[in-house]
Amino acid sequence: MQVKDKIAIVTGAGSGIGAATAKHLAKHGAKVVVSDIKEEKAQMVADEISKEGGGASVITANVAKFEEVEKLIADTVKKYGQLDVMVNNAGIGPRNMARVGEYTLDDWDSVIAVNQTGVFYCMKQALIQMTKQGHGNIVNIASLAGLKASLNNISYSASKFAVVGMTKSAALEYATKNIRINAVCPGYTESALLDKLLSVRPDMDQRLKSVIPMKRYGQADEIADAVVWLASDNTRFITGQTITLDGGTSL
């Protein structure tokens, strides 16, 4: 995939889909800024990339804080001179899953702050830089929960529907600026979020697999493949799209 020598930021890159994406980008020749709220996890991913001969650096950031997003973009441009690819992967789930009437305000506020507002902050600052340099590519990590109903999960669902909408709106606004913006919508994927759910509700494992036609969860590497493809020059005529990777669940 054509990402060689591109400068890419991946948020939430300390684990899961973010880590897999950072490694895939580096494997194909991109220079990757591994960004995560947890510096130790980000450094482990960057070290692994370096051991494999790739180029990586670490910049910690909490995407829910605008000043930290500003610094993330500014420090990347200061170090590398430009920003070619922004992968907005950082995301969280609620502490407690519940119906809307019983949903806590803390769970609503925290999830929306990271998953929705954080993506807006990162898109806003990345687009300022990409407009200046005359090119760019943004890939947002949404979810199957941003395309269909998700029970007892109102903040997560709302945030991921918002990511899909923001992706399409921004793609339309910047289509004439040589900037492409797309999203991927993973279904049930092996990740920290899924592990958290299954630790609370072990009975959900077989129930979830029963609604997936392929009868298995997705792998982080499989999602990363699609992200890097969208971030590459192989997809120069694709913008404003959502690619669903769910093993057929949405069928």
Side-chain angles (χ1 to χ4, degrees):
M1 286 183 273
Q2 298 174 26
V3 294
K4 185 174 174 58
D5 296 326
K6 291 186 183 295
I7 309 304
I9 296 174
V10 182
T11 65
S15 62
I17 293 170
T21 298
K23 293 172 188 176
H24 274 49
L25 283 164
K27 179 182 177 181
H28 290 283
K31 294 179 177 64
V32 185
V33 174
V34 182
S35 184
D36 198 277
I37 196 170
K38 297 178 179 178
E39 184 174 6
E40 184 178 350
K41 285 190 172 184
Q43 191 62 59
M44 288 175 64
V45 173
D47 289 346
E48 188 173 339
I49 289 172
S50 296
K51 287 177 183 177
E52 294 295 322
S57 58
V58 172
I59 301 177
T60 58
N62 178 351
V63 299
K65 296 183 177 181
F66 182 66
E67 64 275 11
E68 294 193 24
V69 173
E70 279 188 305
K71 187 174 186 300
L72 170 62
I73 305 297
D75 286 356
T76 297
V77 175
K78 182 178 180 180
K79 181 178 179 65
Y80 295 105
Q82 63 190 54
L83 173 60
D84 302 305
V85 176
M86 182 84 207
V87 179
N88 292 314
N89 167 75
I92 62 172
R95 291 185 180 88
N96 304 288
M97 299 183 72
R99 293 183 180 181
V100 177
E102 289 77 46
Y103 214 80
T104 69
L105 298 184
D106 283 346
D107 274 333
W108 173 267
D109 290 341
S110 62
V111 172
I112 294 299
V114 175
N115 296 8
Q116 180 174 337
T117 304
V119 171
F120 164 67
Y121 287 165
C122 289
M123 287 177 66
K124 172 180 169 60
Q125 293 309 109
L127 285 165
I128 290 172
Q129 173 59 30
M130 290 173 176
T131 301
K132 286 179 183 177
Q133 67 194 25
H135 71 276
N137 191 327
I138 296 175
V139 183
N140 295 322
I141 310 302
S143 171
L144 182 61
L147 300 174
K148 61 188 292 295
S150 182
L151 293 175
N152 304 320
N153 209 9
I154 188 68
S155 64
Y156 190 80
S157 182
S159 69
K160 294 302 184 177
F161 266 90
V163 170
V164 171
M166 290 191 292
T167 297
K168 292 179 177 294
S169 294
L172 183 60
E173 291 175 0
Y174 288 86
T176 62
K177 303 296 184 182
N178 197 28
I179 300 170
R180 297 190 295 111
I181 306 162
N182 294 287
V184 297
C185 294
Y188 299 111
T189 304
E190 291 188 0
S191 65
L193 284 177
L194 182 62
D195 289 344
K196 181 180 177 182
L197 170 62
L198 296 182
S199 69
V200 177
R201 294 282 305 277
D203 60 301
M204 289 293 288
D205 182 53
Q206 289 304 315
R207 186 181 300 181
L208 292 178
K209 287 178 180 175
S210 72
V211 302
I212 305 171
M214 287 188 178
K215 303 304 177 188
R216 68 172 179 85
Y217 301 128
Q219 302 293 316
D221 284 351
E222 295 172 322
I223 311 305
D225 280 336
V227 175
V228 177
W229 179 68
L230 286 171
S232 75
D233 290 339
N234 299 75
T235 53
R236 288 186 296 270
F237 201 51
I238 298 177
T239 195
Q241 301 304 303
T242 55
I243 307 297
T244 306
L245 302 99
D246 65 355
T249 306
S250 53
L251 299 175

